[in-house]
Amino acid sequence: MSSAEPADINATTATPQHALALAGGGFLGLYTATLLDALEAGATRPLARHFDLLAGSSIGAVLALALAFEIPMSRLVRLITEHGPAVFSGRPLPASMVGRLLDMSRSVLGPKYSGERLREALQSEFGDLRLGDALHPVVVPAVDIGSCRAKIFKTPHAAGSLGDAELRAVDVAMASCAAPAYFPSVRIGSRLYADGGLFAVAPDQVALHELEYFIGIEPAKVSMLSIGTAAAHYQPSEGLDEAAGAVGWLTDGRLLMTLISVQQQHVRAMMEDRLGERYLHLDADWPADAGLGIDVATPAAAKRLTRLARETLQPELMLQMERFYGHLSEARNFQAQSAHTYARD
């Protein structure tokens, strides 16, 4: 695919602007991918053409980048399902205290997973594509751990978003997925990056800020579809202990799951305040005795996440989607002259 000159998105500021924000959550992103696949299956064209800006953190970054290159979501569902056990673990959550301690010990002296299988899986989809090759604008949060600063990787869609055009999509996706203690940090150039979920598990505000301050869109002209990772109202599997230490907080990924759920809840509340009825958030409640986790990639977990996604797409929701996002009948592509063709599997 060859890079093309992106259209001036500022030329469309008189019309409503539509953003898609995809949260992080490791293997839980199968829920998100399944929702996106269902939405795309009902569309007449690639889903990204219905949005003016895509944003994603962690696994949400992988999905947002795939959308930006018009890679069918059916392929991402298959990628997560087939490669998940190799990228993460095919083991269920440990039931005994000894099992939990052994599981925790895997990340004491280094990352729990090497990241090599994740890179191989992403390479199979993105190859050598660079952000400047993207067909649609996308923003991806990460953390520059050397300077302890937030970093937003961007396609060259605005005057203030030109510096990352030559970066490989694989590297950007790996950087946003590099959750501390789970995957190694990722070096891009001279900088070392970690998971954008450290500050933006839900990238909704990142997307709105990009539209408002870098592209010049008034918030009153913005509508947003936000999709979580089935972590709404998360609760630990065991009772709470006021004196919990490392074992209590790290068992079953409790600390990270709390961070994911609370961040998504807080961001949702703020975005509803800012955008009102122009904001729609899709998510599923964390099931009791879920057997789920950010790195639990068992067949049972995949089946449950798929079922939760299907249950989310009830007829009432689809009517709500039509009311909020009637623009899905319109096509937008910020690289109007592209040789890229859309082929569904």
Side-chain angles (χ1 to χ4, degrees), residues 1-5 46 49 68-70 129 132-136 333-343:
M1 180 188 305
S2 62
S3 174
E5 186 68 24
R49 296 190 189 180
F69 292 106
E70 296 190 358
L129 289 171
D133 298 321
L135 300 172
H136 306 280
N333 187 329
F334 90 124
Q335 285 189 0
Q337 303 299 322
S338 171
H340 186 86
T341 58
Y342 180 66

Side-chain angles (χ1 to χ4, degrees), residues 19 53 94 97 102 107 119 130 147 161 172 208 225 251 277 301-302 309:
L53 181 68
M97 179 58 71
L102 288 173
S107 58
R119 182 174 285 277
R130 302 178 184 273
S147 62
S161 309
V172 172
L208 184 60
L225 175 60
T251 292
E277 293 186 347

Side-chain angles (χ1 to χ4, degrees), residues 62-337:
V62 174
L63 297 173
L65 286 165
L67 286 167
F69 292 106
E70 296 190 358
I71 297 172
M73 285 296 99
S74 58
R75 281 169 45 182
L76 272 295
V77 169
R78 187 164 62 243
L79 181 144
I80 296 171
T81 304
E82 293 181 356
H83 293 272
V87 170
F88 295 109
S89 169
R91 300 181 301 270
L93 289 169
S96 68
M97 179 58 71
V98 172
R100 292 169 183 169
L101 289 172
L102 288 173
D103 188 63
M104 285 178 55
S105 70
R106 293 187 175 93
S107 58
V108 170
L109 299 179
K112 193 173 182 179
Y113 308 108
S114 70
E116 293 177 2
R117 294 298 184 89
L118 176 59
R119 182 174 285 277
E120 290 172 3
L122 295 178
Q123 187 72 36
S124 69
E125 291 295 339
F126 294 116
D128 291 325
L129 289 171
R130 302 178 184 273
L131 294 192
D133 298 321
L135 300 172
H136 306 280
V138 62
V139 290
V140 172
V143 174
D144 182 334
I145 59 177
S147 62
C148 202
R149 292 181 178 179
K151 163 66 179 177
I152 309 297
F153 292 105
K154 306 178 184 183
T155 49
H157 52 259
S161 309
L162 302 177
D164 301 324
E166 293 304 314
L167 298 184
R168 297 172 70 241
V170 169
D171 295 331
V172 172
M174 287 292 296
S176 192
C177 288
Y182 284 86
F183 290 113
S185 300
V186 173
R187 188 172 297 280
I188 301 179
S190 62
R191 314 301 299 179
L192 204 57
Y193 296 99
D195 189 351
L198 288 172
F199 73 97
V201 143
D204 309 38
Q205 292 184 97
V206 173
L208 184 60
H209 185 78
E210 182 73 16
L211 285 166
E212 184 176 4
Y213 289 97
F214 290 94
I215 301 177
I217 311 292
E218 296 178 9
K221 295 188 175 107
V222 174
S223 69
M224 184 178 296
L225 175 60
S226 168
I227 304 181
T229 47
H233 308 113
Y234 163 80
Q235 291 186 346
S237 59
E238 295 186 354
L240 305 180
D241 180 0
E242 62 269 21
V247 173
W249 273 103
L250 298 179
T251 292
D252 297 346
R254 176 185 165 192
L255 178 61
L256 199 50
M257 283 306 309
T258 299
L259 181 151
I260 289 171
S261 183
V262 171
Q263 274 202 44
Q264 291 190 41
Q265 172 190 331
H266 181 58
V267 167
R268 176 181 179 178
M270 288 192 294
M271 296 302 294
E272 287 176 342
D273 287 342
R274 292 209 66 188
L275 299 182
E277 293 186 347
R278 289 172 286 106
Y279 179 77
L280 179 60
H281 180 76
L282 306 184
D283 207 354
D285 284 340
W286 185 260
D289 301 320
L292 301 176
I294 66 167
D295 63 337
V296 178
T298 63
K303 183 177 180 180
R304 190 149 202 182
L305 290 166
T306 301
R307 185 170 69 249
L308 287 171
R310 289 173 178 165
E311 291 171 354
T312 298
L313 292 175
Q314 296 299 313
E316 295 81 3
L317 174 63
M318 299 312 293
L319 289 174
Q320 188 181 24
M321 289 277 291
E322 181 62 25
R323 287 199 305 271
F324 281 82
Y325 299 96
H327 73 285
L328 289 180
S329 61
E330 304 168 6
R332 280 201 184 93
N333 187 329
F334 90 124
Q335 285 189 0
Q337 303 299 322

